[in-house]
Amino acid sequence: VTIGLPIYNAEKFLKFAIDSILSQTYTNIELLVVNDGSTDNSMAIVQSYQDDRIRIINDGFNKGLPFRLNQIAREASGFYLARMDSDDIMSPNRIANQVKTLENNLDIDVLGTNAYTIDENNLVQGIRYDNKNKTELIKVSGFIHPSIIAKKEWFLSNPYDEKALRIEDKDLWFRTASIYNFRMTTEPLLFYREFGSNYYKKYLKEFTSIFYVLKKNK
């Protein structure tokens, strides 16, 4: 499994993300870190790790997240490719559970998970989807983006639209949900950071891309 980790000025939370990846109970992983022209200490943090499972792409350019996600798909060496963001935290058994689910359900094209929502202090604020204390595999039309895993070939066949900045995932689900089998486990296997003063701002920046996607898809 390749775990793709794009980073851009991620120094505040990056160590939490990397530690959670390297601590996975499923150890046959490649951590592919792609730096999108960070100007902070992100690269120094990545380079401080001595783990031969880490591979770094650092070309010095800022090309945007959709470009980097497509680059990760091209460069990944794993049969499966898992998404991860630099400000989130994985549950230790996330990858093991997802691989087992995919191997036991060969009809699934893309698999996501539920997530606990956390704030800037890593404090749990809630759960994204109430699972009523049950672990189920349910059909969905979209995902919590950094929770997904699929075959590398799926990502290569369904690239992100590089003009759909900040909503590249929503655009991808819109284009593909009716064609592929999307499933999500109701077990929360990700700690998803979406609370705090800086996190509301990022949603406001989506509006320009929303108009582009609506026009493109009529």
Side-chain angles (χ1 to χ4, degrees):
V1 177
T2 293
I3 300 171
L5 184 66
I7 61 173
Y8 175 71
N9 290 348
E11 63 180 5
K12 186 174 181 180
F13 302 114
L14 181 57
K15 192 174 188 304
F16 294 115
I18 294 176
D19 286 347
S20 74
I21 294 169
L22 298 180
S23 299
Q24 289 296 295
T25 58
Y26 186 94
T27 58
N28 188 16
I29 61 170
E30 169 192 50
L31 172 53
L32 180 55
V33 180
V34 179
N35 182 32
D36 193 34
S38 296
T39 57
D40 65 356
N41 292 319
S42 293
M43 281 308 301
I45 293 171
V46 176
Q47 292 166 346
S48 70
Y49 287 85
Q50 302 298 315
D51 193 311
D52 60 11
R53 295 175 297 173
I54 299 175
R55 182 157 62 97
I56 302 169
I57 296 176
N58 182 31
D59 58 22
F61 296 104
N62 177 245
K63 296 189 174 183
L65 180 58
F67 177 90
R68 296 304 183 183
L69 294 176
N70 289 334
Q71 183 180 27
I72 286 171
R74 293 191 300 269
E75 296 288 340
S77 62
F79 179 76
Y80 292 114
L81 172 57
R83 278 278 293 113
M84 182 60 174
D85 281 342
S86 59
D87 56 353
D88 297 328
I89 300 171
M90 285 187 179
S91 172
N93 59 341
R94 174 193 157 182
I95 299 299
N97 283 20
Q98 287 188 297
V99 169
K100 181 179 179 180
T101 300
L102 289 173
E103 294 293 314
N104 290 337
N105 299 272
L106 299 179
D107 60 319
I108 296 177
D109 294 300
V110 185
L111 176 65
T113 81
N114 200 354
Y116 293 111
T117 55
I118 59 174
D119 65 12
E120 292 172 310
N121 299 308
N122 292 344
L123 298 176
V124 173
Q125 300 298 305
I127 189 169
R128 176 58 78 87
Y129 303 105
D130 187 359
N131 65 348
K132 306 296 184 183
N133 297 317
K134 297 179 182 178
T135 298
E136 298 177 312
L137 195 59
I138 62 174
K139 187 171 180 60
V140 293
S141 58
F143 301 97
I144 302 169
H145 195 196
S147 79
I148 65 170
I149 186 172
K151 293 176 183 177
K152 169 183 172 174
E153 293 303 319
W154 187 88
F155 290 98
L156 291 176
S157 299
N158 300 279
Y160 294 89
D161 185 336
E162 295 177 14
K163 294 181 180 180
L165 292 170
R166 295 190 177 274
I167 59 169
E168 62 279 337
D169 56 331
K170 299 176 183 65
D171 173 72
L172 181 58
W173 315 146
F174 185 83
R175 289 187 281 116
T176 58
S178 64
I179 307 171
Y180 296 99
N181 184 14
F182 287 0
R183 298 283 170 166
M184 182 192 85
T185 175
T186 58
E187 180 181 5
L189 295 174
L190 181 74
F191 294 87
Y192 184 53
R193 201 179 305 276
E194 64 173 359
F195 285 89
S197 57
N198 292 328
Y199 286 84
Y200 293 109
K201 295 177 183 178
K202 72 178 183 180
Y203 295 111
L204 296 176
K205 296 179 180 179
E206 294 180 355
F207 283 103
T208 300
S209 293
I210 287 174
F211 290 116
Y212 161 72
V213 170
L214 288 174
K215 182 178 180 181
K216 180 183 72 168
N217 294 292
K218 299 181 180 179

